[in-house]
Amino acid sequence: QLHLVESGGGLVQAGGSLRLSCAASGRTFSNYAMGWFRQAPGKEREFVVYIGWSGSITDYADSVKGRFTISRDNAKNTVYLQMNSLKPEDTAVYYCAAASSARRLTKGDADYWGQGTQVTVSS
């Protein structure tokens, strides 16, 4: 079992920044590709970004390219999501997830999920 706990969400004005963290415990963190997803009210959960186990491979949804940056620190068992130039349409609950392969994350499939953290961007 890999336990994931997100933090760092909150209320921010449009154009502002937030940094989300996802701390993992349990199984070997570095064995997993990690991803961030989000779900806005009334919408389905959508893929945001993933990072490979070593951190060298990433892939972003078009809606966040150039504004969001994912990183991971395997020594700290933590993955981060730096979100800049936030827009009201970024408002959602953000979830981190772990999977045995990055390809699965792009399809919304993961082995473990966090409980989510709310991000609200005001206009």
Side-chain angles (χ1 to χ4, degrees):
Q1 186 81 5
L2 188 68
H3 186 53
L4 304 174
V5 179
E6 303 96 333
S7 61
L11 174 64
V12 64
Q13 289 188 332
S17 298
L18 282 175
R19 189 194 196 202
L20 305 184
S21 299
C22 174
S25 60
R27 290 181 176 266
T28 304
F29 175 73
S30 59
N31 286 348
Y32 293 90
M34 298 297 297
W36 286 95
F37 294 78
R38 66 186 181 185
Q39 187 168 19
K43 295 187 177 181
E44 293 188 354
R45 184 174 60 200
E46 65 173 350
F47 166 79
V48 176
V49 59
Y50 77 71
I51 186 167
W53 64 271
S54 69
S56 61
I57 298 175
T58 60
D59 189 28
Y60 294 84
D62 289 342
S63 58
V64 305
K65 280 182 180 177
R67 300 188 298 121
F68 290 12
T69 303
I70 191 171
S71 61
R72 66 188 296 164
D73 185 337
N74 287 341
K76 295 183 178 180
N77 292 347
T78 303
V79 62
Y80 305 96
L81 183 64
Q82 178 66 43
M83 305 186 295
N84 298 328
S85 302
L86 283 161
K87 304 175 181 180
E89 50 264 44
D90 293 319
T91 295
V93 177
Y94 283 71
Y95 299 90
C96 72
S100 58
S101 74
R103 178 177 296 183
R104 290 176 58 206
L105 290 171
T106 63
K107 299 178 180 180
D109 183 27
D111 296 306
Y112 304 101
W113 295 89
Q115 84 289 347
T117 186
Q118 176 71 46
V119 171
T120 303
V121 185
S122 63
S123 57

